[in-house]
Amino acid sequence: MKNQRRFVIILVLVLLVVIFALQNSQAVTVNLFWTHFSWPLIIVIVGSLLLGALITLLLSAASIATARKTTQKLQDEVNRLRSQPKKAKDVIETDTDKK
């Protein structure tokens, strides 16, 4: 259900962008560094949208990879500590006996 809702929202957004782009099809001049291009505005809009999506994807992929790496380290630490229950119990009992 969640994926279907997400799909519908994305579909509506894409439809809105396409309608907006089709209503703005006149040629515009794009200045990129020292060059000038004359492109239809629809190409500029869709190209900018795709470039923004690509940048967002790359940035989120980097943060997701970092989070997964951290999660894996923490899971390894939890597994290591769970495999040593007797040692942990001895440490706790030793600390309790000292008080």
Side-chain angles (χ1 to χ4, degrees):
M1 185 70 172
K2 183 178 178 182
N3 287 336
Q4 290 175 345
R5 189 176 308 146
R6 184 180 300 162
F7 178 74
V8 169
I9 291 171
I10 290 172
L11 191 62
V12 168
L13 289 174
V14 167
L15 183 63
L16 288 173
V17 169
V18 168
I19 290 171
F20 178 75
L22 289 174
Q23 290 178 348
N24 294 287
S25 60
Q26 65 271 19
V28 294
T29 301
V30 177
N31 300 316
L32 182 63
F33 302 113
W34 56 87
T35 58
H36 307 285
F37 301 101
S38 182
W39 286 340
L41 187 56
I42 187 171
I43 292 175
V44 174
I45 292 170
V46 173
S48 298
L49 179 72
L50 292 176
L51 184 61
L54 178 65
I55 290 170
T56 302
L57 177 69
L58 292 174
L59 290 175
S60 65
S63 64
I64 288 171
T66 302
R68 283 185 181 166
K69 187 176 179 181
T70 302
T71 302
Q72 185 60 45
K73 283 182 182 179
L74 292 172
Q75 188 63 46
D76 291 344
E77 180 71 10
V78 167
N79 290 339
R80 185 184 64 79
L81 292 172
R82 282 184 179 160
S83 69
Q84 302 175 351
K86 182 162 176 28
K87 185 176 180 182
K89 182 180 176 187
D90 293 341
V91 169
I92 292 170
E93 288 175 357
T94 305
D95 289 342
T96 307
D97 293 339
K98 288 180 183 178
K99 293 181 181 180

